[in-house]
Amino acid sequence: MPAPSFSSRSALVMMLLLAIAWFGALDYRTLIKTDEARYAEIAREMVVSGDWITPRLNGIKYFEKPPLQYWMTALAFKNFGLHEWTARLWTALTGFLGVVLLWFTARRLFTPAVAANSALILASSPLYLGMSQMNTLDMGLCFFMQATLCCFLLAHFQADLDPRLRRRWMLLAWASMALAVLSKGLVGMILPGGVLTLYIFAARDWALLRKLEWSYGSLLFLLIAAPWFIAVSVINPEFAHFFFIHEHFERFLTKVHMRYEPWWYFLPVFAFGMLPWLGFVLQGLWQGLRPQGNAQQTLVARILLLWVTLIFVFFSLSDSKLASYILPIFPALALLIGLYLTRASVRALRWQMAIWCVLALALIAVLSQVGGNDTDVEVMRQAATDYRGWLYVALVIWIGGLALSYAWLRRPQFRPALLAFSVSAFLACLLAVLGHENLGRISSTKTLSAQIKPLLQADTPFYSIETFDHTLPFYLQHTVILVAHQNELAYGLQQEPERWIPTLDAFVQRWNSDTAPFAFMQPETYLKLATLSVPMKVVYEDHLRVVVTKP
């Protein structure tokens, strides 16, 4: 079918509307544990301490990740204040820029229609949109890996490009790869390098080796990526072994991080993450194998296919898996599906819409049978019921978009059909994210902290006994003293053992000698301490936690 194009003005209007929706709700939800609160707290402590070299979580050395997102979030806190939206600003910004960059790259290398298709697909993919609304490190890594790929493609495959511009694009690829390393570690260099190596061997494009700007590029890479690694290693000699060996090789090759999942783990994650576009995935991947408009476009599609395949296989082979690890494949896959949609028949698209409409109705039926009825805690049951209401609305919006899209395709009008489908999918995903606040505010300590914070002084001892809730120090704006609990902070506590209390007996002695301490714990720990006749006065209590002070 003919590929309808979007004018530059229409694209600008759509980007503006997307930005309003993308950034407009960042402050609606409470930060949740563990990732969101963890990375917000590390950034907060950087601002408070003024130490931007050694990351600390709850005052304890935390070397698991590089600092780029900590720095950006700390700058947001410093300039705009301590809020949920400033904690999420960097991930939202990099996610949005990823959509813009994909549109720009596809427009330069293919057509305006492919560019519009790709941007709409990426923005409405549930995993990509969801991660852009959460304070985790994966979106920053995804963006800079995508930027590495896009800048390389723009440098190597744009016809009749001025040599100076070609060099600049290639140097931008090196700079982006350095920022990817500063976002989440060596994976930001290994995966793009692996894709490039496979492409060179597969295409026998040996001449490319002379066009990679090795001298200036590697120098630029080191100037960006190396200074922090050198500085943190000088200040903390233990850093290098923990970060490079434990956090990279042991994470990939062993089960030390207790995140082992079977090899097929990412298949359902991927299916959910691409849900509205799942029916087009195989056709999109096929675009990486079939000829495109010219030889250059065919090679670009081959590289996109290599990118998706290598990254998916790499993380599937790892012994440490989290759902967000495969996020970097989504921009490349969106472009491949965008290519397919310019060639798809109206009949095939109508069938897809009809099938999804039936499946969405089935999801509503399934949703009515699940929820929070399996819990005895009324507040949790009500929260699950409330969230289910949000999901109902989201599905109804998506079904409405599917029906409208089907109607437009009958005319046939591809552009309004695609807009109806992608906009309804985007709104449905966004509502599902926002509705999670019904569950998030219960698991967070925001309400608790609002009541306790006015009672604290800067030097008030605040203990966290046999547990650590990552949201607590952020919302209290006060670090806590861990008691009989280490978890992910074990390595940092090995370096600075004075920052915790290893046993309950030692805590009781310390508690008895304090004048006005507070302690946070789970209800079962409170009962345990009560049986030991520890003097305590409850100042806050709910079904998940108890806060006490000394009477």
Side-chain angles (χ1 to χ4, degrees):
M1 65 176 293
S5 62
F6 290 79
S7 68
S8 296
R9 183 176 180 179
S10 298
L12 183 61
V13 170
M14 286 192 292
M15 286 294 181
L16 180 60
L17 293 174
L18 177 64
I20 292 171
W22 199 275
F23 294 98
L26 291 180
D27 211 38
Y28 177 75
R29 293 176 298 110
T30 305
L31 293 180
I32 58 174
K33 56 183 183 183
T34 55
D35 283 7
E36 280 208 300
R38 175 199 296 129
Y39 300 130
E41 174 59 14
I42 293 173
R44 186 193 73 82
E45 292 183 31
M46 280 189 169
V47 174
V48 172
S49 68
D51 182 357
W52 295 60
I53 301 298
T54 302
R56 289 182 178 272
L57 173 59
N58 192 47
I60 300 162
K61 291 181 180 180
Y62 192 83
F63 293 146
E64 294 200 7
K65 299 295 184 290
L68 180 59
Q69 183 159 322
Y70 308 153
W71 290 343
M72 296 300 102
T73 306
L75 286 173
F77 287 159
K78 200 166 185 178
N79 287 283
F80 306 117
L82 199 70
H83 309 286
E84 282 96 352
W85 74 267
T86 46
R88 297 185 176 112
L89 182 59
W90 181 244
T91 51
L93 181 62
T94 51
F96 183 80
L97 290 177
V99 176
V100 176
L101 178 60
L102 186 65
W103 172 82
F104 176 83
T105 304
R107 192 178 178 91
R108 286 292 187 95
L109 298 177
F110 293 97
T111 66
V114 174
N117 294 349
S118 304
L120 289 170
I121 292 165
L122 185 61
S124 57
S125 297
L127 185 63
Y128 188 88
L129 174 58
M131 295 308 298
S132 76
Q133 302 292 301
M134 295 182 64
N135 181 27
T136 71
L137 305 184
D138 298 284
M139 185 54 74
L141 172 68
C142 176
F143 171 70
F144 287 114
M145 284 180 61
Q146 176 194 350
T148 303
L149 172 65
C150 290
C151 291
F152 165 74
L153 295 176
L154 291 167
H156 190 55
F157 292 108
Q158 284 192 91
D160 303 322
L161 187 65
D162 182 275
R164 289 173 299 177
L165 287 177
R166 194 177 300 279
R167 171 174 289 185
R168 290 172 187 170
W169 281 119
M170 196 64 79
L171 291 177
L172 278 175
W174 281 96
S176 299
M177 188 164 62
L179 292 171
V181 170
L182 280 176
S183 294
K184 210 175 178 185
L186 297 181
V187 68
M189 174 180 66
I190 291 171
L191 291 177
V195 171
L196 180 62
T197 302
L198 284 176
Y199 164 73
I200 290 173
F201 277 95
R204 300 181 183 274
D205 191 357
W206 313 115
L208 174 59
L209 291 171
R210 298 192 300 272
K211 302 176 183 178
L212 292 177
E213 302 292 337
W214 288 101
S215 55
Y216 289 108
S218 57
L219 178 61
L220 181 61
F221 177 90
L222 290 173
L223 285 173
I224 294 172
W228 176 78
F229 286 101
I230 295 171
V232 73
S233 298
V234 169
I235 297 171
N236 306 277
E238 70 275 16
F239 165 81
H241 181 273
F242 179 83
F243 181 82
F244 291 109
I245 304 301
H246 180 76
E247 282 300 305
H248 285 80
F249 296 102
E250 290 181 2
R251 178 185 288 268
F252 184 84
L253 297 172
T254 73
K255 302 177 178 64
V256 66
H257 283 79
M258 306 298 290
R259 292 173 179 169
Y260 175 77
E261 299 291 348
W263 65 267
W264 48 263
Y265 170 78
F266 287 116
L267 293 176
V269 171
F270 173 80
F272 169 78
M274 286 296 296
L275 187 59
W277 307 98
L278 188 60
F280 305 116
V281 166
L282 291 179
Q283 298 96 321
L285 293 174
W286 177 246
Q287 300 308 303
L289 297 174
R290 65 175 296 178
Q292 302 300 322
N294 56 52
Q296 295 289 80
Q297 292 177 347
T298 300
L299 289 175
V300 170
R302 297 281 195 278
I303 292 176
L304 295 174
L305 180 61
L306 276 175
W307 183 273
V308 171
T309 305
L310 177 66
I311 294 175
F312 191 89
V313 171
F314 177 87
F315 286 116
S316 294
L317 293 176
S318 173
D319 278 332
S320 179
K321 297 182 179 71
L322 288 176
S324 54
Y325 286 0
I326 60 169
L327 194 63
I329 74 173
F330 278 66
L333 184 57
L335 207 164
L336 288 171
I337 296 174
L339 275 171
Y340 163 72
L341 289 180
T342 61
R343 298 175 168 182
S345 69
V346 171
R347 182 181 179 186
L349 293 175
R350 283 207 308 263
W351 270 106
Q352 288 281 354
M353 304 305 160
I355 291 171
W356 277 121
C357 196
V358 171
L359 290 175
L361 290 169
L363 280 175
I364 290 179
V366 171
L367 194 60
S368 66
Q369 302 301 315
V370 299
N373 295 327
D374 56 344
T375 176
D376 294 330
V377 181
E378 174 59 29
V379 66
M380 295 295 292
R381 185 161 55 246
Q382 184 60 48
T385 300
D386 293 343
Y387 185 38
R388 190 162 57 228
W390 283 76
L391 296 179
Y392 281 141
V393 174
L395 285 170
V396 168
I397 289 174
W398 188 33
I399 291 170
L402 288 167
L404 191 58
S405 181
Y406 185 86
W408 278 111
L409 287 171
R410 286 181 63 85
R411 297 195 176 186
Q413 294 288 327
F414 178 77
R415 183 166 66 176
L418 179 65
L419 279 173
F421 181 76
S422 55
V423 170
S424 63
F426 172 83
L427 292 175
C429 295
L430 188 60
L431 280 176
V433 172
L434 295 177
H436 188 268
E437 172 64 5
N438 290 284
L439 303 175
R441 65 170 175 259
I442 294 174
S443 63
S444 171
T445 62
K446 183 177 182 179
T447 301
L448 174 157
S449 298
Q451 296 184 31
I452 302 300
K453 185 180 173 183
L455 307 177
L456 304 180
Q457 302 297 323
D459 58 350
T460 299
F462 199 111
Y463 301 95
S464 182
I465 307 173
E466 295 186 331
T467 188
F468 177 56
D469 189 313
H470 293 73
T471 66
L472 186 62
F474 177 81
Y475 281 116
L476 281 179
Q477 296 181 38
H478 190 104
T479 57
V480 300
I481 303 168
L482 295 181
V483 177
H485 183 86
Q486 291 183 318
N487 203 358
E488 65 176 335
L489 295 172
Y491 184 79
L493 290 172
Q494 289 175 19
Q495 312 309 312
E496 300 172 310
E498 70 277 5
R499 292 185 176 272
W500 79 307
I501 299 175
T503 66
L504 282 180
D505 289 340
F507 160 72
V508 172
Q509 293 180 15
R510 180 93 162 258
W511 178 265
N512 289 331
S513 65
D514 286 332
T515 54
F518 286 78
F520 171 91
M521 65 198 78
Q522 295 172 340
E524 52 268 28
T525 301
Y526 173 76
L527 294 176
K528 185 190 304 183
L529 292 176
T531 61
L532 297 175
S533 300
V534 176
M536 298 178 293
K537 175 186 175 183
V538 175
V539 292
Y540 180 91
E541 184 176 12
D542 61 28
H543 66 289
L544 292 175
R545 53 233 148 184
V546 179
V547 178
V548 301
T549 187
K550 191 174 174 182

